[in-house]
Amino acid sequence: MAPSPHVIIAGAGIAGLTAALALAKRGLRITVLEQAADLQEVGAGIQLSPNATRVLIGLGLRERLEVRAIIPEAIRVMAGRTARQIVRIPLGKSIEQRYGAPYWMMHRAELQAALLQAAEADERIVIRLGTRVEDFAKDKGGVIVRGRTGSQITDEQGIVLVGADGLWSRVRDRLRRERPPRFRHRTAWRAMLPSHHAAAQWQEPVIHLWLGQDAHLVHYPVKGGAVINIVAIVRDEWRGESWSAPGDPAEILRHFARWAWSEKARTLIAAPERWQKWALHDRRGGTPAGSGAVTLIGDAAHPMLPFLAQGAGMAIEDGAVLADMLANNLDNPRKALREFERTRRARAARAQKASRRQGRIYGLSGPEALVRNIVMRTKGGERLLTRYDWLYKWQPPS
């Protein structure tokens, strides 16, 4: 019996592991090359909307993830200066009835751990940690990928290479010459605060979104409610390329001045002892065309600004669509990759555009912010939720 077709994936993040599981479910063999020597508990909280949870449940992960997830009751939009509620957008269990899949919030490390456990339990998936993709070349059967593990060089042959190696993708860099990702003159600061250090109202299973002068603040409980995930996004010129760098608590508090922000918000921001920050970048254009037997998914293809909470969602969708395209076109994998890219381009570009627009709306100030708040309050939570129907109703290929 001939061996199953072999797919090579660069990156063992959410995009890479989701794609590996989806491809394995369709009978393919997968090798995942991850340059990190171990997958540590990094990152912050993560929101998984129905378009993403639908895929994860389809991969058989509901039982693994449901015990880690919290179902948010609502998104509560707050005025930064007054701490008054602008509007409450309903979520809760009714979201699953509305969209056919739940809305979850959890720690990013919990999601990655569940994906990794499922991948390690699948004999069709091999994960090689501490292995960096050095280069790749066309081959009669697809592609040859050169990986480096310490001083050792090894070659892997597969029908395709999938670059799932993030914003600063080495695969993308080797694939094409282009401008680097665009810095958006904002930084995101994150902290994890033990719940007992936060006011009782912030411990509720609610996503709190504060809109204020030159900044906005998001927080919600994770890890079974034991920890409050806090993310503050501010205008800034720091351009670090790493996923995370230490942040000075005094510096982040200066972005939330007393004259512009409620003491309730400032008290929450002052509570964590440690902050991490990262610079926000993106690219235009949705999923780019790959070349030959190489394609890109997740942040390597279409990095998302965080204002729509869809970075992980688009990556998870990518994995499902890629697996379907390849499984149905094994006689012509390169054609499958081009079809995958065409299929994903418009949706990824729309999500990118919507996220940028959301960022501009969040960043309004003065009279424009007042008009924004009045419009949101007048429309009400139910009507605002319908604006996301195009996003949350998405269905993976059957």
Side-chain angles (χ1 to χ4, degrees), residues 99 308 358 362 384-393:
Y99 296 114
L308 203 63
Q358 195 95 306
Y362 288 176
L384 289 173
L385 183 60
T386 62
R387 296 177 57 193
Y388 300 102
D389 284 351
W390 68 272
L391 187 59
Y392 297 163
K393 286 183 176 179

Side-chain angles (χ1 to χ4, degrees), residues 222-334:
V222 295
K223 294 197 170 186
V227 178
I228 307 296
N229 172 69
I230 308 173
V231 180
I233 297 181
V234 301
R235 296 192 183 279
D236 200 353
E237 293 304 318
W238 181 77
R239 294 171 177 260
E241 293 185 3
S242 66
W243 160 250
S244 184
D248 181 355
E251 181 185 347
I252 182 59
L253 197 58
R254 284 196 294 270
H255 286 282
F256 292 81
R258 281 192 171 88
W259 63 267
W261 282 85
S262 159
E263 275 306 308
K264 289 185 177 181
R266 284 175 49 82
T267 298
L268 181 65
I269 293 167
E273 295 180 357
R274 296 177 59 251
W275 284 88
Q276 299 291 114
K277 65 179 180 179
W278 76 100
L280 299 186
H281 296 77
D282 73 349
R283 299 180 188 266
R284 291 192 180 275
T287 302
S291 177
V294 183
T295 195
L296 303 164
I297 64 173
D299 282 351
H302 43 65
M304 300 276 162
L305 293 173
F307 309 113
L308 203 63
Q310 283 300 310
M314 291 296 112
I316 289 167
E317 289 184 18
D318 284 347
V321 177
L322 177 65
D324 184 74
M325 295 294 181
L326 268 179
N328 289 329
N329 294 277
L330 287 176
D331 57 333
N332 194 341
R334 297 184 184 200

Side-chain angles (χ1 to χ4, degrees), residues 72-119:
E73 294 177 356
I75 299 172
R76 191 177 179 215
V77 185
M78 312 277 289
R81 189 174 63 83
T82 64
R84 293 175 181 169
Q85 178 176 296
I86 300 170
V87 68
R88 185 182 177 97
I89 302 173
L91 296 176
K93 294 183 178 179
S94 64
I95 286 293
E96 186 160 5
Q97 298 173 345
R98 180 182 183 121
Y99 296 114
Y103 198 118
W104 290 336
M105 52 191 187
M106 63 180 64
H107 195 283
R108 179 178 290 267
E110 294 177 316
L111 172 60
Q112 182 153 344
L115 292 169
L116 182 61
Q117 290 165 9

Side-chain angles (χ1 to χ4, degrees), residues 333-369:
R334 297 184 184 200
K335 177 183 176 183
L337 296 189
R338 303 296 85 79
E339 182 63 25
F340 159 74
E341 291 154 5
R342 284 191 294 271
T343 299
R344 293 299 295 161
R345 189 169 295 122
R347 180 165 171 83
R350 184 178 183 184
Q352 287 177 314
K353 183 177 179 181
S355 185
R356 293 186 198 107
R357 180 176 181 271
Q358 195 95 306
R360 289 192 294 271
I361 292 171
Y362 288 176
L364 295 175
S365 59
E368 291 179 319

